[in-house]
Every structure is written in structure tokens, then in C-alpha cells.
Amino acid sequence: GPLISTTPNIVYVNQPITTAVIAEDLKISDLKIEGRSDGEVVISWTTNKPASARVIYDNVSQINKTSNFTYSNATVEDSQLVTSHTVILDKNKLAIGTTYYLRAVSKVNSELATSREMAFVKLAGGEINTFGTAALFGTIGDFFGQPWLLWLIIILLAIWLVKELRERKTKI
């Protein structure tokens, strides 16, 4: 219990300080797709805490889904718990000129994090193109993931709206 010592007119209470540690949810960031000259496609990402790594992919987009994904291909899970992840897709399962959609998946204990969907096309020299709505919205998603930026945009829109309404009033 607390130790109490008294000196004339002063009471000292020596109480242990307890700190609450708020656990952060497992998150995926910095998702990148890279094509190599040998035809390998390398997917890399970072997690905010040590976790496993796996990539799920298909030639059909599931950009509107937030869970229960049904991608037809998946890499073997790398169960090594690290924060920097690299997964290589089997080049023999990737057809040249086909658009593939993928998500990175990381897991630790009962926590599961799945990235946004990204798209790429494998080209003939081993190079790849990342493009389309998946890549575009992924970039916009990262951009709007910054809370200060979202507030700035909301404030600017509000200022513009007020100005627009005032101008319309004066015209009438």
C-alpha cells in the first residue's frame, strides 16, 4: 500500500504511478509493388508491430469488399514476426498482360490487418505497371488518411460554400 510519512503540518503520500498502455491496432503502410527483370513481382510493406506476411491476389477486383475476400491465389504465409515485409509472387502463376489485384495481409495473435487493394499488369521484360482505380484510390486514401489534411479540405470547402452563397444572394 501507499507509504505515509508525516512531518509537522505536511503529509507525504508515496503512491506508485500506474501508466496505461493503449494498444494500437495492427496496421499496414508503405505498400509497394515492384517488377524485377527476372520476371519476379515483389510486394513489400511495413506493419506498426511485428506480424506475419502473406499476399492474396486474383485477376478479378474486390476493391469494394472490406472483409471475406475471395481472391483465388495466396502466397504461403511467412510466419516470421517482423515489421518489414517482402513477399515474392510466383512468376509462373502470373500471365503477361493480365491485370492482377492484390492485398497484403499481416497477422499477429488474433489481430489481422489487410491492405487496400492495388492493381498491376505484368509486362514482357519483367516490368510491371501499377495503375487504375485501385492504385489511384490507394494513393488518395493515403493522402486523405492524414487527419489534418482532411480538416483543411473541409474548412476550405466551408469557406468556399459561404462565399458562393453570399455571391448568389447579392445577384438576386
Side-chain angles (χ1 to χ4, degrees):
L3 302 171
I4 299 172
S5 63
T6 52
T7 336
N9 302 329
I10 301 171
V11 177
Y12 297 97
V13 179
N14 184 5
Q15 189 108 15
I17 297 169
T18 56
T19 53
V21 177
I22 298 165
E24 198 179 356
D25 290 341
L26 181 63
K27 288 186 185 79
I28 290 175
S29 58
D30 302 323
L31 181 62
K32 293 182 183 73
I33 306 173
E34 177 195 351
R36 291 189 182 161
S37 56
D38 62 0
E40 300 283 8
V41 175
V42 181
I43 317 301
S44 61
W45 68 93
T46 308
T47 48
N48 59 334
K49 47 181 139 175
S52 68
R54 168 171 95 106
V55 171
I56 51 179
Y57 63 102
D58 202 343
N59 59 1
V60 178
S61 174
Q62 296 182 30
I63 197 162
N64 296 325
K65 284 191 171 187
T66 54
S67 61
N68 300 323
F69 303 109
T70 53
Y71 292 94
S72 60
N73 303 292
T75 61
V76 175
E77 183 178 39
D78 179 354
S79 57
Q80 188 180 354
L81 301 180
V82 294
T83 55
S84 188
H85 309 276
T86 303
V87 172
I88 298 171
L89 300 184
D90 183 349
K91 63 182 172 186
N92 301 318
K93 288 186 178 177
L94 301 173
I96 290 171
T98 301
T99 302
Y100 290 96
Y101 304 90
L102 66 81
R103 290 179 194 262
V105 180
S106 284
K107 194 168 68 171
V108 61
N109 303 325
S110 61
E111 281 190 273
L112 180 73
T114 307
S115 73
R116 66 182 190 272
E117 182 177 272
M118 285 190 67
F120 72 93
V121 175
K122 185 176 174 183
L123 304 175
E127 293 185 13
I128 58 160
N129 268 355
T130 56
F131 74 99
T133 55
L136 174 68
F137 284 122
T139 306
I140 292 169
D142 282 351
F143 198 55
F144 286 118
Q146 304 296 325
W148 63 267
L149 185 65
L150 205 50
W151 281 111
L152 178 66
I153 290 167
I154 290 167
I155 291 165
L156 290 173
L157 278 172
I159 292 168
W160 174 81
L161 187 62
V162 167
K163 185 176 156 254
E164 198 64 24
L165 290 171
R166 279 187 184 153
E167 282 178 10
R168 285 187 184 170
K169 262 187 188 168
T170 55
K171 286 179 187 172
I172 297 169

